[in-house]
Amino acid sequence: CPYLICEEDAEPMYGRYTQELGVYAKEEAARLRESGQRRSVSRTLDLLEYDKGRCAKCRICTVRCQKFLISRVGEDWIFLILLGLLMALVSWVMDFCIAICLQAQKWMYGGLDSNVFLQYLAWVTYPVVLITFSAGFTQILAPQAVGSGIPEMKTILRGVVLKEYLTFKTFVAKVIGLTCALGSGMPLGKEGPFVHIASLCAALLSKFMSLFGGIYENESRNIEMLAAACAVGVGCCFAAPIGGVLFSIEVTSTFFAVRNYWRGFFAATFSAFIFRVLAVWNRDEETITALFKTSFRLDFPFDLQELPAFAVIGIANGFGGALFVYLNRLIVQFMRKQKAINRFLMKKRLLYPALVTLLISTLTFPPGFGQFMAGKLTQKESLVTLLDNRTWAKQGIAEEFDYIGHSEAWKHPQVNVFVTLVLFIVMKFWMSALATTIPVPCGAFMPVFVIGAAFGRLVGESMAAWFPDGIHTDGTIYPIVPGGYAVVGAAALSGAVTHTVSTAVIVFELTGQISHILPVMIAVILANAVAQSLQPSLYDSIIRIKKLPYLPELGWGHHEKYNIRVEDIMVRDVRYITLNCSYRDLHNVLLTGHLKTLALVESTESMILLGSIERAQLQALLSLQLGRPRRLAYIRERAVEDKKRLSVVSNDSSENSSHRASQEVRFQVRGHSGQRCKKCFQPFKAHYFQSHRKKCLQNVTAEFCMSSKITEWEEKQLDEQVNFNNCKIDPAPFQLVERTSLHKTHTIFSLLGLDHAFVTSIGRLIGVVSLKELRKAIEGSVTVKGAKVRPPLASFRDSGTSSSENEATELHKLWDRHKSMPLPREHTPSESDEKSQ
Amino acid sequence: CPYLICEEDAEPMYGRYTQELGVYAKEEAARLRESGQRRSVSRTLDLLEYDKGRCAKCRICTVRCQKFLISRVGEDWIFLILLGLLMALVSWVMDFCIAICLQAQKWMYGGLDSNVFLQYLAWVTYPVVLITFSAGFTQILAPQAVGSGIPEMKTILRGVVLKEYLTFKTFVAKVIGLTCALGSGMPLGKEGPFVHIASLCAALLSKFMSLFGGIYENESRNIEMLAAACAVGVGCCFAAPIGGVLFSIEVTSTFFAVRNYWRGFFAATFSAFIFRVLAVWNRDEETITALFKTSFRLDFPFDLQELPAFAVIGIANGFGGALFVYLNRLIVQFMRKQKAINRFLMKKRLLYPALVTLLISTLTFPPGFGQFMAGKLTQKESLVTLLDNRTWAKQGIAEEFDYIGHSEAWKHPQVNVFVTLVLFIVMKFWMSALATTIPVPCGAFMPVFVIGAAFGRLVGESMAAWFPDGIHTDGTIYPIVPGGYAVVGAAALSGAVTHTVSTAVIVFELTGQISHILPVMIAVILANAVAQSLQPSLYDSIIRIKKLPYLPELGWGHHEKYNIRVEDIMVRDVRYITLNCSYRDLHNVLLTGHLKTLALVESTESMILLGSIERAQLQALLSLQLGRPRRLAYIRERAVEDKKRLSVVSNDSSENSSHRASQEVRFQVRGHSGQRCKKCFQPFKAHYFQSHRKKCLQNVTAEFCMSSKITEWEEKQLDEQVNFNNCKIDPAPFQLVERTSLHKTHTIFSLLGLDHAFVTSIGRLIGVVSLKELRKAIEGSVTVKGAKVRPPLASFRDSGTSSSENEATELHKLWDRHKSMPLPREHTPSESDEKSQ
């Protein structure tokens, strides 16, 4: 299977003290460094002002400029302009290379027209080689570059750290892999990968810029910049700044900060502008216009009575979009499940892409089956012809209409244009679904867009054939424009596949005409309504296939989410440590639990939540208590005592390392710090052995005696109370109430990018909810649509309003406790279970 | 001053247990009611199935339909369709009425062309009467309807409850007031009020629909629907669904939930569709097209070398937008500060609108000064002429060009068209700024839009005069299109005034052409950059003038916000109650504090935060302890004892009401429940006096004795420990850490719509931050741009990293406390003050 998973737990944006401090330290350091720079600059300035030479003024000016520039580098707009510029260049260069690749194929195919077999060989070999190279290159350099990248960006923007997804290697692999993949002429898109490439650009640029100023090391700022980068990606791919911003918001965000809006618009506009200006400078265009410019009539774009046809396109495309997502997932799952195929493919990784390419390019071979499905047209050419404002099938004179340029490809002497269109739609549909499973950097937006346009054109041509003089009844004849239907169809199908509304805007920007706004909006909304009720979006589907740690959206009819409460989904068996626990307790908790963060409560009786501590912190505490320095100190102390008492061995003997190492291993509770400690120790140990081998041998007996004493010492150390002084505690971990509804929990988790939240009842810890539980609860109630999914405990609630009573009695207990006696023993852990009865 | 304030504290969306419970109860009730309905329906069904009559099948069908419909009524899309339909109708009817009003004025003016004085009288009286009526009507019915409504919606969507802003009265006042105001021909807009009207519609529809299903009583759902309604408002005002959604998001939201996106699009599209279909049905249009359709050439919309001119428009309009906001605020503040004027205007409330209208309509009188500024054109007509695709000033043949229709108004025999345009811009600029301060329902978007278009046209005409054959150098002549400049100018100025980017999209939808996308985007972004660095947006400016409880946005360069921490802005003197406090403490706290929510801590020593309790809850507790029933019981008890001892008076005498009333008043800590209690008691008291007057007189001496005993009883009651059993406690109030930066605090407050948050340090309450402090901190650092504003305490932090040490020692204290003794006395309240030193 081509998908690779690199899962990490979410890094929350909220109130995490540890991280907060880290960020603070970084900022401070950066500020100090910056102010240091400034000081040196101003010192040079002072020195220069004393200098009375000829060049002094000049140099003062230079230094001042330098100062000014350094202070400006930190500003957002500089970053955004650089990002836009870079992405426009990347996009333009890639388009240029892809065009050359495609031209080369045509040239080869055209040059060999004497021999059909040679022609076929050239037609087929070229894409197979390109795709295989792309797959192999990506596989070797950075397997993370495979696929669209939007699902990963969605996960990253939610706050989850996906390692290796934003590295330079991935950037190179993605750019070169994508160029080759698109140059092969397969039905693949560049839009999804462009979102990823733009994010890579932003991340790398951020790293580069952080050499100049400290602000680039701020975590939340980088996330904001990534969001802007996604917009740039779409914007410079289609030269559609507005659509780019909206599409990237819909596809990657759950909650969008309006204050980041301008960033996206600014960067995307600049990028689209440069992208189109490059085309003008290259003499491809006379001035800045849309990428797929149409020229429908403005005065009467469509008739009111055509609206039902548009609605039909919308609904049909809704079903089509859902089918596409389903088909795509089916293919991936089929390849995965068939173990024989899977094993074979895993061995010969490049065979699958080669076979798929072979199949698709064989079927599109123009003199073969391709002649019935406009096989010789590239994706771009077919889109241009589909959006043409002329009617292809004029009733009666269907044979005589003059195809100009590429439109010829749709005309076949024996076959009707309708048959060509139907064949094109059907074949391209499964081809695109299949091609997007190839492990190369590729998107599905553009192929889907073209299929949608073809379907729209089909409906439009049918309408034109049905009403040759248009529908309008009052005097003037306004013939039907099938190109308009193609626009509507393209927007609707791509909207259905991606579950977005903003494809409408992208379509307007791509065609440069907005006259069909209402039909497009109606079709897109209908398509969305149908598709969303049948299947997840393509990106969510990939997220599920890849098992990325993402929180799914709540479905449309989420009435039942108001009825599920946190108490139904939370884990009641929380691992916690008390303020006065011993190191032994700590040790046990660390051994049994596996959560990244542990709750700190006042005491087992009160269960009052004081904060949370990260696992690593606790491991550090434990190794501090039982680690090398203290161990050494103890042994030295013992040795001094022994010397006094026995006067047998020298002072050095107490430092026996082999024993120490074994002791240390015993308490390495899967901790990194321990391992690092051991590594540092290795050279020292070797050295020690060489020089002191003799002494060691002498001290074996003394050592055995020591060993038992050390075990004793350890036990004593373990029984000591934990000192939390040097431990970073998050004093305000996120808390929920038992009564919080699933709907609200989902909102809070996605708003704050939480990984887990503690459930408390009047300050007392009673449970914990993590992303996992939430995901399970949502997916449980989302997938089963008809039946009302209720967790087993929810039924108890309906039998009576016992819950609020419980709460009162619990408070009562707490209150009584304070009134009567200081801290009586209660059986708290089982209490939470009782409550549910 | 025309502005009215109705301030209420924010109602948070997060974890508020009390509200949660309330909502829960409501939901349960609704569900019960619904299920009751269903049961009755299904019972009828069962009964019917036994019935073998002829109509039985028919009736079964009807009942099933009814059942189905009731179950569907709760779905979102039904609501959105109804809302869209309603708003489209309202918008269309209003437009119709406004058009009639404007025609009437023209007719009157045209009919009296024999006498200039009569003409002037008609021209001036008509708007004065309409505006005065509008102002008076609004003032009497619902003063909340005054103004645009967007600032209020922004505040409401943030979670603050503004009473009276979403009532039926306001709806009526706004619709009628707006129709009259726009019918007067003043430079006022309908866009802002339409946002308010749509929200009113949604709120009223919600109320109406809640008769059918329970889901309509859900608080967060209503907020979601209000957000969609804002989109509908803009959408059906301009027939611009996409721009409407985006504009409403930018103007009203801080964080936008992408899952609500489709609601806005769906409702706005449906509304815009119906709005335009009504125009087609009314034979105004042949088919659905844009509101201000343009017909610029498509093949070469603009030259690359024209871009600097577009950038100039953007920058100039940025300054213009900031100036407009400043001017508008200046006028309001001037009217407020001038006490003499203010006092006079307060007495004669309708004089100000009348005077302003008189001034403006005098200046636009066509035969007078109006002839130099196209005074006879209505707003809509001037916009249509400004967007015209013909050039007005062709060099050399400027006199001969043929104005068609309204364009004539711009032509003056003596004066150049440039002078007319400049006069138009300057006059309309201050007129619009002045007119929008009139206390009628009105917006500023449309007037600003027209001024922007005029400025763009001015630049375009200048360009056309400068380059009569266009700038393009390669062969073909492409003359400059000043209409395109007008489009750019309109988008830029309205974007600058409202601080939005989506005016670009609105402009495309209004004109039906997207060919100028890049110039428009560039100009809008530049205008925004300039305007945002100079002034707040018009809506934020009004929010400040009205002192609405809103959290301002963080400025552009918010580097310093990372340095301000919560500890610098929090209030350290927190009012709290302890778990074992007496009723006397409660009483004292309630008397001194004024916060709506009080913190509940474990004890004064530990200060561990257990939760928060609403003020009203505590008042209820207090009145329960000292209220009428307990008082009665005590008195009755005493009486029984007295009877036994003295056998003097009858049992009834103990119920002396006058005394009781006075006693009750004593403990009414501004509580509602107490007042209600008293009211209930009134009739009873009267009855009592009539029937028992004689007995009362007898018992005076016994009473005096009783009175002192009751005081004694009260004192005893007050010393009792509070029983929190029946009190609703929010067990998880929002907590922050001292170290949380202002930036993050702002994010969390705006994300969750918080009103206040407690600051804790390892579970211990050390401070509280409310919206007020946050606002102060942000505005402090936002308004003073040059100097770095640092709160006084921030400087201490830099001198050393003492804070993290403090934290450690504090934890140490807590830890020591647990180790050594159970609960030692510490001087906690002053501790937090010490820390800052």
Side-chain angles (χ1 to χ4, degrees), chain B residues 34-68:
Chain B
E34 204 181 356
S35 66
Q37 274 177 2
R38 265 188 213 151
R39 209 173 299 138
S40 72
V41 166
S42 58
R43 205 176 296 146
T44 345
L45 210 63
D46 290 345
L47 282 174
L48 280 171
E49 273 165 5
Y50 283 106
D51 191 4
K52 296 277 177 198
R54 193 178 277 173
C55 290
K57 266 189 185 170
C58 216
R59 274 155 71 196
I60 287 173
C61 188
T62 320
V63 172
R64 283 222 172 104
C65 277
Q66 190 193 335
K67 204 173 149 186
F68 178 77

Side-chain angles (χ1 to χ4, degrees), chain A residues 503-768:
Chain A
T503 50
V505 184
I506 291 181
V507 136
F508 300 139
E509 289 181 279
L510 269 182
T511 60
Q513 282 204 301
I514 204 170
S515 49
H516 279 77
I517 178 161
L518 271 175
V520 168
M521 288 303 294
I522 289 169
V524 166
I525 286 172
L526 286 175
N528 261 289
V530 172
Q532 288 189 22
S533 59
L534 292 174
Q535 283 282 324
S537 82
L538 183 64
Y539 306 122
D540 285 339
S541 165
I542 294 174
I543 281 179
R544 284 193 204 175
I545 291 172
K546 289 196 180 183
K547 294 202 177 65
L548 291 172
Y550 184 72
L551 192 60
E553 268 303 295
L554 292 175
W556 275 51
H558 47 261
H559 293 232
E560 66 265 27
K561 271 86 184 183
Y562 291 105
N563 285 334
I564 301 177
R565 311 265 159 194
V566 163
E567 58 186 327
D568 303 326
I569 60 168
M570 72 182 178
V571 174
R572 280 163 199 278
D573 180 27
V574 197
R575 302 271 150 215
Y576 62 86
I577 42 174
T578 59
L579 203 55
N580 48 4
C581 70
S582 66
Y583 282 96
R584 190 181 302 282
D585 300 335
L586 210 64
H587 186 209
N588 292 337
V589 166
L590 284 175
L591 278 179
T592 53
H594 51 274
L595 264 180
K596 286 237 164 172
T597 323
L598 286 156
L600 175 69
V601 299
E602 200 198 27
S603 64
T604 317
E605 299 85 42
S606 72
M607 284 298 280
I608 287 173
L609 184 68
L610 295 178
S612 71
I613 309 184
E614 278 188 21
R615 199 186 178 76
Q617 289 285 327
L618 293 178
Q619 281 163 355
L621 270 188
L622 204 58
S623 61
L624 203 75
Q625 179 73 358
L626 295 155
R628 187 166 148 64
R630 292 210 60 204
R631 206 171 283 269
L632 273 180
Y634 168 71
I635 292 171
R636 207 170 275 134
E637 199 179 279
R638 291 287 316 169
V640 171
E641 274 176 40
D642 285 359
K643 209 168 154 190
K644 274 181 196 158
R645 260 193 294 153
L646 302 170
S647 304
V648 179
V649 287
S650 75
N651 203 10
D652 275 24
S653 72
S654 58
E655 285 193 29
N656 186 293
S657 59
S658 65
H659 173 70
R660 219 179 305 122
S662 78
Q663 284 290 336
E664 264 166 9
V665 167
R666 194 180 152 195
F667 286 100
Q668 269 172 27
V669 197
R670 278 169 281 163
H672 297 272
S673 53
Q675 277 170 359
R676 219 176 302 139
C677 183
K678 208 172 105 195
K679 268 183 196 161
C680 301
F681 187 58
Q682 288 292 348
F684 173 70
K685 196 167 75 179
H687 171 74
Y688 178 82
F689 266 105
Q690 279 168 3
S691 60
H692 298 266
R693 192 173 295 185
K694 282 175 197 169
K695 278 185 189 169
C696 284
L697 288 171
Q698 289 170 359
N699 304 335
V700 168
T701 46
E703 231 167 64
F704 187 77
C705 166
M706 278 300 284
S707 171
S708 69
K709 267 174 194 160
I710 284 176
T711 316
E712 193 184 287
W713 173 81
E714 265 164 12
E715 294 299 318
K716 220 174 74 192
Q717 293 297 314
L718 277 175
D719 282 330
E720 263 183 31
Q721 232 187 23
V722 180
N723 182 349
F724 286 107
N725 279 6
N726 295 316
C727 186
K728 276 165 194 162
I729 297 173
D730 174 9
F734 205 88
Q735 295 171 33
L736 296 172
V737 192
E738 302 148 86
R739 257 355 214 326
T740 314
S741 67
L742 182 59
H743 186 258
K744 193 171 268 183
T745 311
H746 181 268
T747 309
I748 291 172
F749 264 70
S750 36
L751 269 174
L752 300 179
L754 295 182
D755 169 52
H756 67 275
F758 294 112
V759 184
T760 54
S761 169
I762 321 138
R764 299 156 68 102
L765 178 70
I766 55 165
V768 67

Side-chain angles (χ1 to χ4, degrees), chain B residues 647-805:
Chain B
S647 304
V648 180
V649 286
S650 75
N651 202 9
D652 276 20
S653 71
S654 58
E655 287 192 27
N656 186 294
S657 60
S658 65
H659 173 69
R660 220 177 307 120
S662 77
Q663 284 290 336
E664 264 165 10
V665 167
R666 193 181 152 195
F667 287 100
Q668 268 173 27
V669 195
R670 279 168 281 165
H672 297 273
S673 55
Q675 277 169 359
R676 217 176 302 138
C677 184
K678 209 171 106 196
K679 267 183 198 163
C680 299
F681 187 60
Q682 289 293 350
F684 175 69
K685 197 167 76 178
H687 170 75
Y688 178 84
F689 267 106
Q690 278 168 4
S691 60
H692 298 265
R693 192 171 296 186
K694 281 176 194 166
K695 279 185 188 169
C696 285
L697 288 170
Q698 291 170 359
N699 303 335
V700 169
T701 45
E703 228 164 71
F704 187 75
C705 166
M706 278 299 283
S707 171
S708 70
K709 268 175 196 162
I710 282 175
T711 315
E712 194 182 286
W713 173 83
E714 263 164 13
E715 294 298 319
K716 220 173 73 190
Q717 293 295 315
L718 276 175
D719 282 331
E720 263 183 35
Q721 232 187 20
V722 180
N723 181 349
F724 285 107
N725 279 5
N726 296 316
C727 184
K728 276 166 195 160
I729 297 174
D730 174 9
F734 205 87
Q735 295 170 33
L736 295 171
V737 191
E738 301 148 87
R739 254 352 207 335
T740 314
S741 66
L742 182 59
H743 186 258
K744 192 170 270 185
T745 312
H746 181 268
T747 308
I748 291 171
F749 264 68
S750 36
L751 269 173
L752 301 178
L754 295 182
D755 169 51
H756 67 275
F758 293 112
V759 184
T760 53
S761 170
I762 321 138
R764 301 155 68 100
L765 179 70
I766 55 166
V768 67
V769 176
S770 71
L771 217 54
K772 206 176 71 186
E773 277 90 46
L774 201 58
R775 197 154 53 216
K776 227 182 273 170
I778 290 167
E779 277 172 357
S781 56
V782 160
T783 48
V784 188
K785 265 281 163 192
K788 212 171 187 178
V789 184
R790 307 198 70 183
L793 290 170
S795 55
F796 287 103
R797 202 169 42 231
D798 296 344
S799 57
T801 52
S802 57
S803 191
S804 61
E805 273 172 38

Side-chain angles (χ1 to χ4, degrees), chain A residues 422-437:
Chain A
V422 169
L423 275 177
F424 178 85
I425 293 164
V426 172
M427 297 302 283
K428 282 280 173 182
F429 194 84
W430 67 261
M431 280 178 184
S432 304
L434 181 63
T436 45
T437 64

Side-chain angles (χ1 to χ4, degrees), chain A residues 13 17 24 31 254 256 258 273 287 302 307 509 517 565 721-722 725 737 744 751 812 815 819, chain B residues 13 17 24 254 256 258 273 287 302 307 509 517 563 565 721-722 725 731 737 744 751 812 815 819:
Chain A
M13 64 155 270
Y17 208 64
Y24 181 70
R31 201 169 57 182
T254 318
F256 189 75
V258 176
F273 169 63
T287 186
F302 59 93
L307 281 179
E509 289 181 279
I517 178 161
R565 311 265 159 194
Q721 232 187 23
V722 180
N725 279 6
V737 192
K744 193 171 268 183
L751 269 174
H812 194 76
W815 178 60
K819 210 168 67 176
Chain B
M13 65 155 268
Y17 208 63
Y24 182 70
T254 318
F256 189 74
V258 176
F273 169 64
T287 186
F302 59 93
L307 282 178
E509 291 182 277
I517 177 162
N563 286 334
R565 312 264 158 193
Q721 232 187 20
V722 180
N725 279 5
V737 191
K744 192 170 270 185
L751 269 173
H812 194 75
W815 179 60
K819 210 166 67 178

Side-chain angles (χ1 to χ4, degrees), chain A residues 321-529:
Chain A
L323 186 65
F324 185 86
V325 173
Y326 178 71
L327 201 62
N328 183 280
R329 197 167 60 236
L330 207 68
I331 294 169
V332 172
Q333 280 169 349
F334 176 78
M335 300 310 288
R336 240 184 221 180
K337 271 181 196 159
Q338 294 291 320
K339 288 209 176 142
I341 301 176
N342 201 3
R343 218 174 303 129
F344 181 70
L345 288 179
M346 284 307 276
K347 267 186 215 157
K348 321 256 175 193
R349 278 165 189 257
L350 302 181
L351 203 64
Y352 177 68
L355 280 176
V356 169
T357 315
L358 186 68
L359 175 67
I360 293 175
S361 53
T362 302
L363 283 172
T364 54
F365 182 53
F369 189 74
Q371 62 186 303
F372 304 107
M373 52 173 285
K376 73 172 176 188
L377 294 184
T378 65
Q379 203 158 264
K380 210 171 167 181
E381 286 162 358
S382 25
L383 189 56
V384 169
T385 52
L386 287 170
L387 297 179
D388 197 67
N389 63 334
R390 279 159 302 183
T391 313
W392 293 351
K394 274 181 196 142
Q395 217 184 30
I397 44 160
E399 290 78 30
E400 291 164 39
F401 68 119
D402 51 337
Y403 287 115
I404 299 165
H406 300 302
S407 295
E408 254 177 83
W410 295 98
K411 190 187 171 189
H412 192 269
Q414 279 89 47
V415 181
N416 198 330
V417 74
F418 294 103
V419 179
T420 319
L421 274 171
V422 169
L423 275 177
F424 178 85
I425 293 164
V426 172
M427 297 302 283
K428 282 280 173 182
F429 194 84
W430 67 261
M431 280 178 184
S432 304
L434 181 63
T436 45
T437 64
I438 301 176
V440 291
C442 65
F445 188 90
M446 213 53 199
V448 163
F449 197 81
V450 172
I451 296 167
F455 181 75
R457 168 63 78 163
L458 179 66
V459 175
E461 294 288 345
S462 314
M463 287 291 286
W466 195 7
F467 303 103
D469 296 330
I471 298 178
H472 198 64
T473 47
D474 302 2
T476 355
I477 289 178
Y478 292 113
I480 281 165
V481 184
Y485 286 76
V487 167
V488 172
L493 191 61
S494 48
V497 169
T498 56
H499 286 199
T500 55
V501 192
S502 46
T503 50
V505 184
I506 291 181
V507 136
F508 300 139
E509 289 181 279
L510 269 182
T511 60
Q513 282 204 301
I514 204 170
S515 49
H516 279 77
I517 178 161
L518 271 175
V520 168
M521 288 303 294
I522 289 169
V524 166
I525 286 172
L526 286 175
N528 261 289

